[in-house]
């Protein structure tokens, strides 16, 4: 029986949690396994609970009482997953040796990311500054284009963001507003110039507007068909779009 998809993805993205299984197998105790992994007892059990939830059967079994005061050991399924992880490590080494350049691995990582957000823009952190309870993170998208994201201090720390960090900015199409020629952008919003590549009418709702940015990246937005007609927006037009920094979600490789 094959491993569930979510668990397989978790192995690929969070290898340090799978490695915890090795410590459990060696130590026979969650307390000792956590110490060997350099994490807290709670963090160890949180990780194991998550793995157990993703697996078809529990990977770690805990016993209580007895001469040693109880312990933990891998189930048969846990031993099988650990063997799989060890094989994946071997394959990873082969993949690193086969990659022609480091950017190949970065590209594969980005292609494996799937989200519900229509817009995914890769950039690098070019600025970090505190604004009250939040951090304003500036992202350089290339060719002089830059946008800001507004996230909490905890998010900045959790993502380990520093200047130069490569991130993916996620933005729902409904959060991107196409501006008319006479519209004044909202203060503090991200404003980008774009070329209308395609307008896809929808009889059931707003039209989908596909936009090309100057750096080769694209955006998708929604706009009312009547508004587009009034503004005479057609393919090939130069327009402006805006979206608040607080709507920009950031992601980094796990």
């Amino acid at each position: 029986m094959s491993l569930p998809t979510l668990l397989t993805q978790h192995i690929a993205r969070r290898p340090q949690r799978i490695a915890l299984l090795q410590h459990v197998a060696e130590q026979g105790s969650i307390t000792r396994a956590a110490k060997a992994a350099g994490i807290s007892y709670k963090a160890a059990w949180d990780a194991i609970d998550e793995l157990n939830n993703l697996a078809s059967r529990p990977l770690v079994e805990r016993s209580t009482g007895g001469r040693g005061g109880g312990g933990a050991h891998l189930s048969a399924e846990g031993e099988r997953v650990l063997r799989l992880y060890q094989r994946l490590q071997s394959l990873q080494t082969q993949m690193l040796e086969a990659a022609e350049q480091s950017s190949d691995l970065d590209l594969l990582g980005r292609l494996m990311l799937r989200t519900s957000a229509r817009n995914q823009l890769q950039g690098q952190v070019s600025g970090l500054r505190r604004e009250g309870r939040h951090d304003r993170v500036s992202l350089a998208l290339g060719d002089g284009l830059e946008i800001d994201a507004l996230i909490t201090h905890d998010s900045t720390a959790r993502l380990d963001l520093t200047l130069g960090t490569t991130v993916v900015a996620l933005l729902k199409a409904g959060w991107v507003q196409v501006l008319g020629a006479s519209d004044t952008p909202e203060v503090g919003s991200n404003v980008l110039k774009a070329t209308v590549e395609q307008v896809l009418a929808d009889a059931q709702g707003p039209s989908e507007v596909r936009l090309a940015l100057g750096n080769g990246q694209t955006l998708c937005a929604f706009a009312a068909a009547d508004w587009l007609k009034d503004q005479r927006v057609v393919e090939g037009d130069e327009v402006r779009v805006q979206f608040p920094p607080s709507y920009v979600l950031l992601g980094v490789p796990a």
Side-chain angles (χ1 to χ4, degrees):
M1 182 177 62
S2 62
L3 288 175
T5 301
L6 285 177
L7 180 58
T8 304
Q9 293 174 345
H10 198 90
I11 290 174
R13 297 176 183 174
R14 300 298 297 273
Q16 68 274 24
R17 289 197 168 186
I18 305 298
L20 180 61
L21 297 180
Q22 179 69 52
H23 293 300
V24 172
E26 294 172 350
Q27 303 295 333
S29 160
I30 297 298
T31 300
R32 293 193 294 272
K35 184 176 181 180
I39 59 178
S40 68
Y41 178 83
K42 181 181 183 303
W45 261 116
D46 286 345
I48 289 171
D49 282 343
E50 185 174 352
L51 293 173
N52 282 344
N53 288 340
L54 291 174
S56 57
R57 295 186 295 274
L59 307 183
V60 176
E61 296 176 343
R62 177 168 52 178
S63 58
T64 58
R67 293 181 57 188
H73 64 275
L74 298 187
S75 65
E77 182 73 357
E79 291 175 351
R80 189 171 75 88
V81 170
L82 182 57
R83 290 194 298 270
L84 172 62
Y85 170 64
Q86 292 168 339
R87 290 200 297 271
L88 284 176
Q89 283 187 311
S90 177
L91 289 173
Q92 183 184 50
T93 300
Q94 295 176 32
M95 184 179 69
L96 288 172
E97 292 173 350
E100 295 181 2
Q101 51 189 2
S102 61
S103 60
D104 291 343
L105 302 178
D106 294 335
L107 174 59
L108 287 175
R110 293 195 298 274
L111 294 178
M112 291 172 63
L113 179 66
R114 294 193 300 172
T115 77
S116 62
R118 292 291 299 276
N119 298 306
Q120 300 182 26
L121 304 174
Q122 183 195 353
Q124 289 188 318
V125 177
S126 57
L128 274 172
R129 62 180 183 275
R130 290 209 165 197
E131 292 187 1
R133 296 180 178 180
H134 296 85
D135 289 335
R136 182 174 292 270
V137 183
S138 297
L139 303 176
L141 303 180
D143 289 343
L145 292 185
E146 189 171 87
I147 62 173
D148 286 350
L150 206 60
I151 63 176
T152 64
H153 305 320
D154 286 344
S155 293
T156 301
R158 182 163 49 84
L159 297 176
D160 196 22
L161 297 182
T162 58
L163 294 179
T165 299
T166 298
V167 301
V168 176
L170 307 175
L171 188 66
K172 288 190 174 184
W175 296 344
V176 181
Q177 180 186 3
V178 182
L179 297 174
S182 60
D183 290 339
T184 301
E186 295 179 2
V187 176
S189 285
N190 290 299
V191 180
L192 297 175
K193 293 181 180 179
T195 302
V196 178
E197 280 193 334
Q198 193 175 24
V199 177
L200 302 174
D202 187 339
Q204 304 300 319
S207 298
E208 180 179 318
V209 184
R210 297 175 60 85
L211 304 151
L213 300 177
N215 65 348
Q217 294 180 324
T218 61
L219 280 177
C220 177
F222 291 124
D226 290 343
W227 183 88
L228 292 171
K229 183 178 180 180
D230 291 341
Q231 296 291 323
R232 299 181 180 178
V233 175
V234 296
E235 295 176 10
D237 281 355
E238 298 291 328
V239 298
R240 295 168 300 158
V241 296
Q242 71 172 8
F243 47 90
S246 58
Y247 285 8
V248 180
L249 308 178
L250 301 182
V252 298

